[in-house]
């Protein structure tokens, strides 16, 4: 048995715990700081501060993780990052002509999670 420490495999959907990791993740997907801040319900200024932090404050880790999870799930359905960004800002008849972004900002992301679940289960097929 080796005495060297074994590297743990990264968990799928693991929480982002550092500011630079968050900034890298966001930039790789072409998500502006402004859009991510709106999705995570924080100001752009606070997000910029968080992205410089070696470790995200505990109070921020959960909303950031939930925002990342939602973006990943929606991107999976949209097909790509550009389609997702367009979809987020267009009024949608399924949501009473509201935009998905306005639902998130109003604290109604559960409506989007319900849609994601139904689509994954094939309930709209």
């Amino acid at each position: 048995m080796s005495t060297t420490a074994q590297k743990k495999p990264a968990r799928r959907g693991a929480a982002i715990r550092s500011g630079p990791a968050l900034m890298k993740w966001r930039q790789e997907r072409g998500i502006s700081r402004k859009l991510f801040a709106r999705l995570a319900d924080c100001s752009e200024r606070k997000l910029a501060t968080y992205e410089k932090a070696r470790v995200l404050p505990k109070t921020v880790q959960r909303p950031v993780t939930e925002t990342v999870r939602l973006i990943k799930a929606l991107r999976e359905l949209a097909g790509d990052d550009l389609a997702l960004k367009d979809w987020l800002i267009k009024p949608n008849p399924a949501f009473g002509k509201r935009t998905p972004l306005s639902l998130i900002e109003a604290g109604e992301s559960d409506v989007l999670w319900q849609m994601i679940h139904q689509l994954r289960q094939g309930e709209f097929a």
Side-chain angles (χ1 to χ4, degrees), residues 63-108:
V64 163
T65 299
E66 290 302 313
T67 301
V68 167
R69 284 183 60 234
L70 181 59
I71 290 170
K72 285 180 179 179
L74 291 171
R75 188 205 177 277
E76 179 183 304
L77 298 174
D80 63 45
D81 297 318
L82 185 58
L84 173 59
K85 287 187 280 187
D86 288 342
W87 182 80
L88 282 169
I89 60 172
K90 287 187 180 174
N92 192 312
F95 307 129
K97 296 187 181 179
R98 294 172 66 191
T99 68
L101 183 57
S102 72
L103 289 173
I104 294 167
E105 290 177 324
E108 299 176 42

Side-chain angles (χ1 to χ4, degrees), residues 7 42-43 51 61 84 96:
K7 188 174 181 180
C42 70
S43 71
E51 288 182 340
Q61 286 181 12
L84 173 59

Side-chain angles (χ1 to χ4, degrees), residues 3-114:
T3 58
T4 59
Q6 300 249 337
K7 188 174 181 180
K8 289 183 181 180
R11 291 184 336 211
R12 183 174 182 244
I16 294 175
R17 301 199 188 283
S18 78
L22 172 59
M23 184 168 59
K24 180 181 177 190
W25 184 89
R26 180 182 60 72
Q27 289 175 338
E28 285 175 348
R29 282 144 191 87
I31 299 170
S32 68
R33 183 177 285 145
K34 180 178 182 174
L35 178 57
F36 192 92
R38 289 178 71 186
L39 293 167
D41 192 28
C42 70
S43 71
E44 284 182 70
R45 188 177 200 153
K46 278 207 183 269
L47 182 57
T49 300
Y50 297 149
E51 288 182 340
K52 293 176 187 170
R54 189 175 62 79
V55 177
L56 290 174
K58 292 281 186 192
T59 57
V60 174
Q61 286 181 12
R62 184 175 180 156
V64 163
T65 299
E66 290 302 313
T67 301
V68 167
R69 284 183 60 234
L70 181 59
I71 290 170
K72 285 180 179 179
L74 291 171
R75 188 205 177 277
E76 179 183 304
L77 298 174
D80 63 45
D81 297 318
L82 185 58
L84 173 59
K85 287 187 280 187
D86 288 342
W87 182 80
L88 282 169
I89 60 172
K90 287 187 180 174
N92 192 312
F95 307 129
K97 296 187 181 179
R98 294 172 66 191
T99 68
L101 183 57
S102 72
L103 289 173
I104 294 167
E105 290 177 324
E108 299 176 42
S109 60
D110 58 315
V111 173
L112 298 177
W113 280 113
Q114 182 178 17

